[in-house]
Every structure is written in C-alpha cells, then in structure tokens.
Amino acid sequence: MNRKASGSTLMRSALLAAVSAVLAAQAHASTPQGELASVTDFGLIDHQGVQHQLTRLGNNKAVAFIGQANSCQENIDQLPKYKLLRTLWEKKGVQFLMINADQKDSLDAIRRVASVYDIDFPILKDDAQLVAENLNLTKAGEIVVVNPTTLRVLYRGPLDRASAPGGDGGEGGAPRRAPAPQVLAGVLQKVVAGEEIKETVTVEHKGGCAYEFPAKEMHAKAVPDYAKDVAPILKDKCTRCHVQGGIAPFAMDSYNMVRGFAPMIKEVLLTKRMPPAQVDPHVNRFQNANYISAEELQTLVHWIDAGAPRGKSKKDPMTEIKPLTDEWQLGPPDYIVEVPAFTVPATGVIDYFNHVIDLPFDEDKYVRAVQFIPGDTRVLHHLLAYMSSPNYNRNEVISEENVRDFLEGYAPGKTDATQFPKDTGVFVPKGFKLVMQMHYTTMGKEVVDRTRVGLYFHKTPPKYKYLTYPISHGGQALQIPPGEQNYRMNSSYVLQEDTMLYAMRPHMHYRGKAFRFSVVYPDGTREVLMNVPNYNFAWQPTYRLTEPKFLPAGSRIITDGVFDNSQWNSWNPDPTVMAKGGPQSWDEMFIGYITYTLPNKDYN
C-alpha cells in the first residue's frame, strides 16, 4: 500500500481485512471430517499483561498451545520437557504458549506459580474458556498445534513420552522399553520442513487434568434466549455505536441484522477488537473502558455457535433502539464554536494547520464539559484544542510558551462529550483565544468539513484547574525497521508537585501495538497505572480512572510502547519501509497524555 494512503482508506482496508478473516474462518469451519480441523482467530492477554493474537503470530510456521492449570501436577512434572521442546523447535519457527482455562485459578495465583516453578512461558488467561473451546483444548497437559496463517489444527494430543533425554530409558537395571512413537515431533518436523499435513493428527491423552466447562454445559442444555439473554447485552455494550446515525458500519436494530453479522460478532469478540477501547481488566478500573464480562462473552458466543436462534419471544428488543437524533449529549451548549469550513481535496497530503478563533467572553470562564461534532468523520483525522494568549499568531508552532492550557481533543472513536471531574474545570482567561490544531486526510472525494465545538461552563469557579501534560518524545528517534514486530519506545516525566491523576491517553499511529503507563514512587516502589495490550488507532479515548489516584511530588511516570511494523499487522500502511516519526498517519508518534489536578496549589 502506498505510504500516502489516507487514514480513511487504511481504516476501510482494515475493516475489509476483518471481514475477509471472518469469511475465511467460516470456510475453515466447514472442513469435512478426515481433513484438517480449523479454529477461529482469537486474542488473549498473558499473565504479564501482553496480548497474543493468533493471526499476528503469522511469522511462525506453527504455534503450540500447552494447556495449563495451577493444580495440575503433570504440568510441573513435564516442565523440563516443555522447555526442551521449545529449545529444539523455537528457532525453527514454532512458537510455544501456555493457556490456563481453569476457572479456579486467579491471575495472581498464576503469577505466583509461574514464579515458584520458573515457568517462563507466556501463560494466556482464558477466563471465559471460549478459546479453549475454540481449540478443543480439554485438559491441562494437552497440546494443540495450529498454523497461525491458515488457522488449521495440525496436532492435538499429549507431549511425546520421550521428549527429554532418558524418557524411555530403563532405570535400576530395568529392561529398556521400545522407543515411544514421536508423533508430536513428527508433526513439528513436517511443519519446519514445509511438508504438507493433510489431516489433523490426534493422539488420545490419557493423563492430564480435565477442565470443567460449566457455562458450555449449561448452554448446551438451554441455549441462551435471544430476547431475554442476548439482546440486553447487545443493547448495553454495542448500540452506542451500532445505531442508525452512529459511527459503526451497521446498526443492530433488529434480530435479522444481528444474526446476519453473527459470525463477525464472534470473531471480533474472540480477538478482543470489540467492544472497543479495551484495557487490561486486571489493572485499575476505568469509567469508559467498555468492559465485557466472561459470562456475557459466553452467552453471546454460545448463542452464535448454536446458530443464533430467534427464540420464542414475539417481541424483538433490538427494534426499540432509536436512531441518534440529539447530537449534543448534554443538551444545548453554553457556547458553540463554529470552526471555519475547510475543503478537503480528493487526494494529496494536507499539512497540520491551526485555526485561531476569537472568543467573545468579557470575563474568565471555566469549562466543565466539551463535545466535538466533527463535520465529516471520514476526513477529520484529529484535532487538538488549546487556550492561547491574546497575542498568539496562527503561524506559530504550538508550544508551552505560547499556549496556556490544553482543552481537549478529538480522535477516531472519541465520540462522547467529555465531562471534567467534579470541582474541576479548564481555565479560559478573559481575552484568550481558542487554537484548533487540525489534521485532515483525503478519501478520494472532495468534501467540506464544518466541525463544531460545544462548550459548557461552570457558573462559579471550581476548586481545581484541570490540566493535561504530554509525556512524549513525539516522533523523535522513531526508526522502526521493516518487519519489526516488537519495536519498543519509552519516555518519563517526574512530577514536581503533589498530583491527583484522573485519566490517561496513549497516542501512536497504525503501527502501535501496546502501551503502558507506570509510576515509580519516591520510595522506589513501582505500580502499573494502565495497560493497553491491544492498541488500536481507531479508538483513542482518554481513559478516565473510576477513582482518581494521588501521586506525591517526585513520582516518575513512565510510558512504554510497542510498535509492529510487520505484515502481520493488518493496519500497517507499508511493512516494507522504515517507519519514522512524523505528524502524518503513515508516520509514527509516541505520546502519553495525563490529565490531573494539583490539589495543594493555591491559584489565588
């Protein structure tokens, strides 16, 4: 793909890629018996907070998943053999991962067991057990080998008995048994040699520790009901976007629409692309993180697997979803900024530019909420709004020297009005101007963008000023080699005053893979503040902590990012070139925004 393809084109291409993946998965699912079994693409977060998606492991010839459970003695006994297996085959193109589908094991317990026994494999936590069901992984100790490109299952069964030296040797003078058949090793040998495997090799695993699947058994006896069980989840988790007039590509406004998109719904749930803007659920809690529970996932996926039945209810709850009509979520704003209209040409590259807008206020103001109404979401890549001094010139570069405070920003997926926390507001001094940094991308057709900004004010000054700071190298030093899947970047900032942290927002472009905020306190202890294991450029909300966090002066906030410049990143504009830092979407950036107040600062 040309590096100067528009952001809208890239997003449409990613959607088409997702559709293609679903259609491919459907084709695989119809594979006749006696041939290779298949699985649906999926993503899981491991015990260290890293997400692994099957199709993004396509640089490997095969991926071997080892069932794990803390209480399974076989896992511990076989650990040296697992490690030997990895040593023998990893450099030849076979990736090894563990999956824990035991509902009795918490993440903390898995971490403790991994530490005690030196389990240095990533252990993927399958809370909903849907990935284990997808892989037909029924017990700890069982191994499933999958081709991550074709999604075909190559092997299912136990570890070969003689996978370690002496595995079949006699002891204490006992006669040596005949060598055990090396079935798994034989499959892996064919894989690395590029030989065709025509059917899934299955070996009965007489040992291991069986998983229990209570939800699967329950839903096999009584399939979730569309009206009673499924529709309420869809209404709660999906219809803010999947509604007529919403930003999603289709509206969930009837049973027929839901059923028609059911295979895609399953695929995006299993890969964690939806609900959007997901953060690691084991790190803090955020008001707008779109969490979906294991029970909700099980209900939706098991209903889809059962054929998405309509059920007996004559009423279709999804027809009750009303189209979006009132564009201002909080009611009429106190003041509406009409951003000057801008004609976006059909093709070409549009540099960043600044609109400087006079504000007619004859007194100081504090903004309590703001909402951006983009004129055309197809071309508005993002905007950033700042309060600037009266003598600011539109040709100046925005910097800390010539702007007063950051107001808010718009980016893909950031559709809701932003309400600042209680007793806080963004300060707008009398005479100051609003600077709108605009970034447009072309879409193959000339359009006119007329963006508006709705401002809501406090009636009296709030107690605290709401502030934003970018922890950033911007695009400096970013030189991501072509094909590099795990290019790392970090930055940090030491807080000079006691700080109350309210929210965080990572910002990278299409090669962004993961982002993490951490803090090192003055006493030397470290805590992860937020983990985004599956960064998605299309969804860039400011993640608002459910409870603000106090950070004492001297605390160092650290941002860590991972970029994927390989062909296995379906968003990548061009995996064949060096990705460098820059302002355009086909370039890269690395910024971590924090929003906060200074609780001990006296502004009077």
Side-chain angles (χ1 to χ4, degrees):
M1 183 181 291
N2 188 292
R3 295 182 71 222
K4 295 188 178 182
S6 74
S8 298
T9 301
L10 292 168
M11 294 177 73
R12 287 197 299 273
S13 298
L15 179 59
L16 289 174
V19 174
S20 299
V22 174
L23 294 176
Q26 288 178 295
H28 293 163
S30 62
T31 303
Q33 288 187 348
E35 297 186 8
L36 286 167
S38 63
V39 297
T40 302
D41 191 17
F42 64 85
L44 284 177
I45 303 172
D46 71 22
H47 69 299
Q48 299 297 337
V50 177
Q51 176 154 320
H52 304 261
Q53 184 173 335
L54 181 56
T55 53
R56 292 189 78 157
L57 299 173
N59 60 314
N60 299 284
K61 296 177 180 178
V63 181
F65 296 98
I66 304 169
Q68 187 268 341
N70 287 352
S71 60
C72 189
Q73 188 63 39
E74 180 177 310
N75 280 146
I76 305 304
D77 293 341
Q78 299 279 33
L79 184 58
K81 295 184 180 183
Y82 298 148
K83 292 185 177 183
L84 176 60
L85 195 69
R86 180 179 59 188
T87 300
L88 292 174
W89 298 105
E90 192 169 53
K91 290 183 179 179
K92 298 178 182 179
V94 181
Q95 173 88 24
F96 289 85
L97 301 169
M98 288 184 166
I99 291 183
N100 183 303
D102 192 332
Q103 293 188 320
K104 297 188 295 292
D105 293 344
S106 69
L107 189 63
D108 286 340
I110 292 172
R111 288 172 177 159
R112 287 194 298 270
V113 168
S115 176
V116 168
Y117 291 102
D118 190 26
I119 302 175
D120 57 354
F121 293 83
I123 304 175
L124 284 59
K125 184 61 177 136
D126 186 15
D127 290 309
Q129 299 186 305
L130 295 172
V131 171
E133 293 177 19
N134 181 30
L135 293 171
N136 197 18
L137 182 66
T138 61
K139 57 179 68 176
E142 191 173 31
I143 298 176
V144 179
V145 180
V146 182
N147 182 319
T149 303
T150 66
L151 303 181
R152 301 292 191 178
V153 179
L154 309 177
Y155 173 87
R156 179 181 289 109
L159 183 71
D160 285 335
R161 201 164 65 199
S163 295
D168 277 305
E171 297 181 8
R176 182 179 296 273
R177 295 172 295 184
Q182 297 294 289
V183 183
L184 172 58
V187 170
L188 296 181
Q189 184 62 52
K190 287 184 177 181
V191 167
V192 300
E195 297 181 26
E196 183 182 6
I197 299 176
K198 295 184 178 180
E199 61 180 276
T200 301
V201 177
T202 302
V203 178
E204 182 184 1
H205 186 191
K206 297 180 180 179
C209 308
Y211 295 129
E212 296 179 355
F213 293 88
K216 180 180 179 181
E217 294 173 4
M218 177 181 68
H219 291 150
K221 294 176 182 177
V223 175
D225 181 75
Y226 165 71
K228 184 179 70 173
D229 303 316
V230 174
I233 299 173
L234 298 177
K235 291 172 73 173
D236 182 47
K237 303 295 181 181
C238 308
T239 55
R240 262 172 53 188
C241 298
H242 288 272
V243 60
Q244 289 292 341
I247 63 172
F250 66 95
M252 293 185 183
D253 54 7
S254 70
Y255 163 76
N256 287 333
M257 285 296 292
V258 173
R259 187 178 186 280
F261 282 96
M264 175 179 281
I265 293 171
K266 176 181 176 179
E267 193 267 346
V268 298
L269 289 173
L270 288 183
T271 55
K272 297 187 182 295
R273 287 208 299 276
M274 291 286 153
Q278 293 188 35
V279 295
D280 188 337
H282 301 99
V283 179
N284 280 320
R285 299 299 290 182
F286 296 85
Q287 299 174 27
N288 57 331
N290 290 317
Y291 298 107
I292 186 167
S293 70
E295 292 76 18
E296 290 169 329
L297 287 170
Q298 289 165 337
T299 297
L300 293 175
V301 172
H302 289 161
W303 175 73
I304 293 170
D305 287 343
R310 172 66 176 81
K312 297 180 180 179
S313 174
K314 295 181 180 180
K315 181 179 180 181
D316 183 354
M318 302 308 290
T319 61
E320 301 171 353
I321 306 300
K322 298 187 183 339
L324 293 180
T325 54
D326 189 357
E327 55 188 355
W328 299 110
Q329 291 182 343
L330 306 179
D334 296 319
Y335 185 77
I336 297 176
V337 177
E338 300 284 351
V339 180
F342 182 79
T343 300
V344 181
T347 60
V349 179
I350 304 171
D351 291 331
Y352 285 38
F353 66 90
N354 299 328
H355 284 306
V356 181
I357 301 171
D358 291 322
L359 298 175
F361 310 137
D362 56 7
E363 60 182 0
D364 295 343
K365 297 282 188 179
Y366 281 87
V367 178
R368 64 177 178 85
V370 58
Q371 183 177 353
F372 298 98
I373 303 291
D376 195 320
T377 57
R378 299 171 298 176
V379 294
L380 182 58
H381 176 280
H382 80 259
L383 69 82
L384 299 175
Y386 299 85
M387 308 314 306
S388 71
S389 58
N391 57 358
Y392 175 78
N393 185 303
R394 74 175 58 250
N395 296 317
E396 291 182 76
V397 175
I398 292 176
S399 69
E400 293 183 33
E401 287 71 37
N402 58 28
V403 298
R404 179 62 175 267
D405 285 323
F406 177 73
L407 175 62
E408 247 301 339
Y410 165 83
K414 196 171 185 179
T415 57
D416 292 337
T418 298
Q419 298 185 72
F420 302 128
K422 183 181 178 181
D423 295 329
T424 75
V426 174
F427 184 45
V428 183
K430 174 184 175 181
F432 269 51
K433 302 179 181 182
L434 183 65
V435 177
M436 307 281 289
Q437 183 192 80
M438 312 295 291
H439 180 198
Y440 292 101
T441 54
T442 57
M443 56 162 286
K445 175 184 177 182
E446 181 180 293
V447 295
V448 177
D449 178 74
R450 294 182 175 86
T451 292
R452 291 172 294 158
V453 184
L455 301 178
Y456 301 82
F457 300 124
H458 282 285
K459 294 181 179 179
T460 58
K463 190 173 181 180
Y464 304 110
K465 291 183 179 179
Y466 198 61
L467 305 169
T468 297
Y469 186 84
I471 303 171
S472 169
H473 286 313
Q476 298 174 26
L478 276 171
Q479 300 237 353
I480 310 172
E484 175 61 52
Q485 286 188 287
N486 292 289
Y487 184 88
R488 299 185 180 276
M489 194 77 179
N490 62 70
S491 186
S492 69
Y493 175 70
V494 177
L495 301 174
Q496 303 302 307
E497 301 181 60
D498 289 347
T499 298
M500 190 66 74
L501 180 69
Y502 283 91
M504 293 158 277
R505 179 167 70 90
H507 178 69
M508 300 184 282
H509 290 174
Y510 288 111
R511 298 171 186 84
K513 183 177 181 180
F515 202 105
R516 186 176 302 202
F517 286 84
S518 303
V519 59
V520 177
Y521 293 102
D523 64 4
T525 58
R526 181 167 179 152
E527 177 186 1
V528 178
L529 296 170
M530 185 179 78
N531 180 34
V532 180
N534 187 27
Y535 178 84
N536 188 330
F537 179 76
W539 300 101
Q540 298 183 54
T542 297
Y543 294 92
R544 302 187 298 273
L545 285 160
T546 302
E547 295 292 337
K549 184 174 287 289
F550 177 76
L551 304 177
S555 297
R556 180 183 294 272
I557 296 182
I558 299 173
T559 57
D560 292 289
V562 182
F563 296 84
D564 182 354
N565 192 22
S566 76
Q567 62 178 312
W568 310 111
N569 173 10
S570 61
W571 293 89
N572 195 346
D574 189 346
T576 67
V577 301
M578 176 81 73
K580 298 181 180 181
Q584 300 295 343
S585 57
W586 55 82
D587 299 318
E588 274 306 327
M589 280 192 174
F590 178 70
I591 307 172
Y593 294 94
I594 58 172
T595 56
Y596 60 97
T597 61
L598 302 175
N600 297 325
K601 189 174 183 67
D602 185 2
Y603 290 99
N604 297 321

